Amino acid sequence: MNVAESLEAFVTWRETVGGRLGLVPTMGALHDGHLSLVRRARRETDRVVTTIFVNPTQFGSSDDLKAYPRDLDRDLTLLREERVDCVFTPGEAMMYPGDFSTWVVVERLDRAYFGEKDYQQLRVVERLVRDLNVRTEIVPCPTVRESDGLAMSSRNVHLAPEDRRAALVLFRALSAARDACHAGEPSGEALGRLVAETIGREPRARADYVAVADPRTLEPVTRVGRGGAVCLLAVWVGSVRLIDNVLLGSPG
Ligand code: AMP
């Protein structure tokens, strides 16, 4: 397994190998959710590249960024076990040089794998690829959950035992919305309220946002129609902010 710490090293590696390239971008602290993407890429492409970059622009506060779990050695061991071909671990200075304004590097990717857990990210990347005519297929992958329903996340390690229990409220709330929709409740507002109320009953949790949106445009929906909807939420559980989502109805 090649470990490329710079773009030059990655490009050099790329020039030495042929075949279809599958990309799995991550922020490290890998779990089975990430590995499900890697395994799918392994099945569907000839060369699997995983990137590990804790992207500062994805964090609201510098404390949150500092506290993000990091364990590169463990990540590399897991990726070696999955027979990943190359791990790209760029540094911050390389990704965000002081004077950058625009930067798009598309290295003959064939497919890039993204988890549905980060639903808005997935849709934004799809839009970007379409609008910039990037010839890469974006492959959405289902959310991998713990056996009790909690979506796997690198942030789960920060949950204190009581908060780990309380964190189940996300799955409970989303399941309630899915069941209500299935039982015939079409109102986006009513479904959102049901979710917010379910979260409100868990004293250790505080909803950051709850949205019932169009699965493609992410615009709020007043009524869940034939195209279905996605219920998205972000919830603080103790000091940890967790996100999750579920599809409602049948998206076309
Ligand atoms: P992250 O390291 O959190 O930025 O996630 C990297 C990629 O793994 C993203 O495409 C995520 O959507 C995906 N991912 C994270 N957690 C899960 C999960 N529980 N199930 C499926 N994909 C996930």
Side-chain angles (χ1 to χ4, degrees):
M1 186 173 78
N2 185 277
V3 180
E5 293 178 7
S6 67
L7 186 59
E8 292 72 29
F10 174 66
V11 172
T12 303
W13 172 82
R14 180 59 180 132
E15 281 164 1
T16 64
V17 299
R20 291 164 305 154
L21 194 78
L23 180 76
V24 181
T26 80
M27 298 206 294
L30 301 178
H31 51 67
D32 271 340
H34 298 113
L35 297 183
S36 74
L37 275 55
V38 169
R39 287 174 192 143
R40 179 133 178 220
R42 184 74 279 167
R43 285 199 302 277
E44 297 181 351
T45 62
D46 302 313
R47 304 282 173 187
V48 179
V49 177
T50 302
T51 64
I52 298 180
F53 177 59
V54 181
N55 188 350
T57 64
Q58 283 185 230
F59 291 81
S61 79
S62 59
D63 284 349
D64 191 23
L65 172 62
K66 246 182 270 159
Y68 198 78
R70 292 167 172 86
D71 192 343
L72 184 60
D73 288 343
R74 179 176 172 277
D75 289 348
L76 294 179
T77 301
L78 290 170
L79 295 173
R80 234 175 244 118
E81 284 168 8
E82 299 297 334
R83 295 175 298 111
V84 163
D85 296 280
C86 180
V87 185
F88 182 33
T89 59
E92 203 178 310
M94 207 212 87
M95 292 301 280
Y96 296 110
D99 57 353
F100 85 106
S101 56
T102 308
W103 191 14
V104 179
V105 179
V106 183
E107 260 301 314
R108 280 200 294 140
L109 294 177
D110 297 291
R111 289 182 165 184
Y113 295 81
F114 287 87
E116 287 174 350
K117 162 146 186 298
D118 297 84
Y119 198 86
Q120 294 99 318
Q121 168 179 274
L122 168 66
R123 289 294 179 236
V124 169
V125 170
E126 283 176 341
R127 174 70 60 90
L128 200 79
V129 162
R130 200 191 65 195
D131 290 356
L132 298 180
N133 294 314
V134 177
R135 291 171 63 178
T136 293
E137 185 187 341
I138 302 302
V139 184
C141 302
T143 300
V144 176
R145 299 178 180 280
E146 302 287 356
S147 55
D148 60 4
L150 177 67
M152 288 190 183
S153 163
S154 303
R155 293 173 187 276
N156 291 352
V157 296
H158 287 318
L159 292 168
E162 266 305 279
D163 290 335
R164 170 65 183 78
R165 187 196 53 71
L168 268 186
V169 75
L170 280 83
F171 185 63
R172 221 169 33 243
L174 292 174
S175 302
R178 194 195 47 212
D179 293 348
C181 183
H182 190 68
E185 174 57 71
S187 158
E189 206 238 305
L191 291 165
R193 198 168 348 107
L194 175 64
V195 170
E197 282 168 5
T198 307
I199 292 162
R201 282 196 295 276
E202 169 51 64
R204 304 181 82 87
R206 182 170 57 81
D208 182 3
Y209 68 77
V210 175
V212 179
D214 182 286
R216 281 161 296 270
T217 65
L218 299 179
E219 293 294 328
V221 294
T222 48
R223 198 170 188 292
V224 181
R226 282 183 40 210
V230 59
C231 183
L232 303 149
L233 50 74
V235 177
W236 287 97
V237 182
S239 59
V240 184
R241 186 175 176 277
L242 300 175
I243 60 169
D244 202 350
N245 66 79
V246 71
L247 287 173
L248 306 174
S250 54

